[in-house]
Amino acid sequence: MKNPLRKQILITGGAGFIGSHLCERLLADGHDVICLDNFFTGAKDNIVHLLDNPHFELLRHDITFPLYIEVDQIFNLACPASPIHYQFDPVQTTKTSVHGAINMLGLAKRVKARIFQASTSEVYGDPQVHPQPESYCGHVNPIGPRSCYDEGKRCAETLFFDYHRQHQLEIKVARIFNTYGPRMHPNDGRVVSNFVVQALLGKPITIYGDGSQTRSFCYVDDLVEGFVRLMNSPADLTGPVNLGNPGEFTIRELAEKVVAMTGSKSELIFQPLPMDDPKQRRPDIGLAQQALGWKPQIALDEGLQKTIAYFADLLERGIIRSF
């Protein structure tokens, strides 16, 4: 007889950086987890330690194609999330966000599952409001090199809310701000992984612009806790809900912190700022605090220590050099 507390949960993009941590968390919470990934940016190494768990299943699939399975909940995380990866094939990136959302929403509608969309702070674009509340509609370039991701995620949110209004689907939408931690791709071009890898290799730390632009960095365990709380919140809390750490640092401050924590002799070098790169980014997490009782618990120094240790292990095993 099936345990009514044990849910069948699908995680698209489950072999990715955030998805693999979510797989672990939901297994620890006593659920059956179906990890779906096409392995464009996900890696089997991220979930290989879970393959022997009888409550874990790995499915190679691309969500731009329909899927027919029976599940109770869906976490839709599938989409390249770093500029290097989502600009590699921008048309496919948009398809993943839009066609993928349609397919997953269709699945949720058929099986009457609750569905969670991992949206992004990039829906705010280069914001003119600071910090960014969920009510802010954003300042986004619809035709720039980042638009495949930014506008794809914005359209996915539109689809989620239209399915909610038209079909009474139970939806949850989270807007994720910069997240970091173990299992980040060593060559994904994101600022934390870039700086840590460059520092460990003793290479120059590459800063785009003058380093005065700001970001807020949320450790992955804190983010996953927010995911779980939002998914299991009352049905009338649809979101969008900002999930991120409101601590704000300049890019130069982050670089100097990484150099100090790694004991590196790397120097800082400066390159032109990419087009449409946001000048500032910090979440207003008032809604998450009030509705979910959630706020980040792991300070940047503590999270960086764990992240540096992860990349140092990859370096020791010779894995980083292969990228």
Side-chain angles (χ1 to χ4, degrees):
M1 181 180 293
K2 181 183 176 184
N3 181 347
L5 299 178
R6 182 181 291 280
K7 292 184 172 65
Q8 301 279 332
I9 303 178
L10 171 67
I11 304 174
T12 75
F17 158 48
I18 295 173
S20 62
H21 287 274
L22 182 60
C23 286
E24 286 180 336
R25 169 61 188 270
L26 295 175
L27 287 169
D29 287 349
H31 300 298
D32 289 324
V33 172
I34 302 170
C35 167
L36 179 152
D37 212 292
N38 70 351
F39 295 104
F40 174 60
T41 57
K44 197 169 285 188
D45 283 347
N46 289 339
I47 45 85
V48 69
H49 61 293
L50 303 176
L51 293 176
D52 289 335
N53 188 318
H55 297 288
F56 179 79
E57 183 177 349
L58 176 60
L59 183 61
R60 183 185 288 267
H61 184 80
D62 187 322
I63 64 166
T64 61
F65 298 95
L67 180 69
Y68 300 95
I69 57 174
E70 300 294 321
V71 291
D72 302 307
Q73 292 182 348
I74 302 167
F75 284 87
N76 186 36
L77 277 61
C79 189
S82 71
I84 284 176
H85 292 143
Y86 67 63
Q87 291 172 356
F88 175 77
D89 187 346
V91 172
Q92 185 64 24
T93 296
T94 303
K95 283 183 176 179
T96 301
S97 287
V98 178
H99 292 185
I102 291 169
N103 287 329
M104 290 304 103
L105 287 162
L107 172 61
K109 179 187 171 190
R110 283 194 300 275
V111 301
K112 297 181 171 54
R114 177 175 286 192
I115 183 168
F116 176 107
Q117 168 66 3
S119 190
T120 172
S121 61
E122 298 297 334
V123 302
Y124 299 121
D126 188 2
Q128 297 174 316
V129 172
H130 193 71
Q132 294 81 57
E134 291 87 352
S135 58
Y136 178 51
C137 292
H139 177 232
V140 179
N141 177 2
I143 59 170
R146 301 170 67 101
S147 305
C148 58
Y149 184 69
D150 302 1
E151 295 288 42
K153 288 288 192 177
R154 284 163 69 95
C155 185
E157 287 195 16
T158 300
L159 287 162
F160 267 67
F161 279 90
D162 283 339
Y163 264 78
H164 172 65
R165 286 184 285 259
Q166 188 171 338
H167 301 296
Q168 292 73 56
L169 202 62
E170 288 193 11
I171 66 165
K172 304 288 178 178
V173 176
R175 290 176 176 165
I176 304 168
F177 285 68
N178 290 63
T179 305
Y180 71 101
R183 300 191 200 132
M184 294 184 81
H185 196 293
N187 195 32
D188 68 2
R190 297 192 212 189
V191 65
V192 172
S193 51
N194 261 13
F195 287 179
V196 171
V197 170
Q198 287 172 338
L200 289 172
L201 292 174
K203 295 182 176 180
I205 304 289
T206 307
I207 295 176
Y208 295 96
D210 62 5
S212 64
Q213 67 270 39
T214 66
R215 295 292 184 271
S216 303
F217 302 101
C218 184
Y219 190 68
V220 64
D221 290 355
D222 282 331
L223 183 75
V224 166
E225 176 66 26
F227 278 19
V228 172
R229 292 193 187 198
L230 178 56
M231 177 61 102
N232 296 318
S233 65
D236 60 354
L237 179 63
T238 59
V241 177
N242 287 338
L243 294 177
N245 193 322
E248 188 176 11
F249 298 86
T250 69
I251 296 301
R252 180 162 191 149
E253 284 176 327
L254 176 69
E256 291 169 346
K257 189 180 286 287
V258 168
V259 168
M261 292 179 70
T262 56
S264 175
K265 299 192 185 318
S266 296
E267 62 176 347
L268 307 185
I269 61 172
F270 297 85
Q271 301 286 347
L273 196 66
M275 181 179 177
D276 297 329
D277 193 64
K279 309 297 186 300
Q280 53 187 6
R281 187 61 59 72
R282 176 161 67 95
D284 179 332
I285 62 167
L287 177 58
Q289 288 179 294
Q290 183 238 331
L292 303 176
W294 177 89
K295 64 178 180 179
Q297 302 296 315
I298 299 172
L300 182 60
D301 281 20
E302 180 185 352
L304 281 176
Q305 284 178 345
K306 296 178 180 181
T307 307
I308 290 167
Y310 169 76
F311 283 115
D313 178 63
L314 294 186
L315 178 62
E316 187 176 329
R317 292 190 283 140
I319 294 174
I320 284 181
R321 287 193 180 89
S322 66
F323 286 91

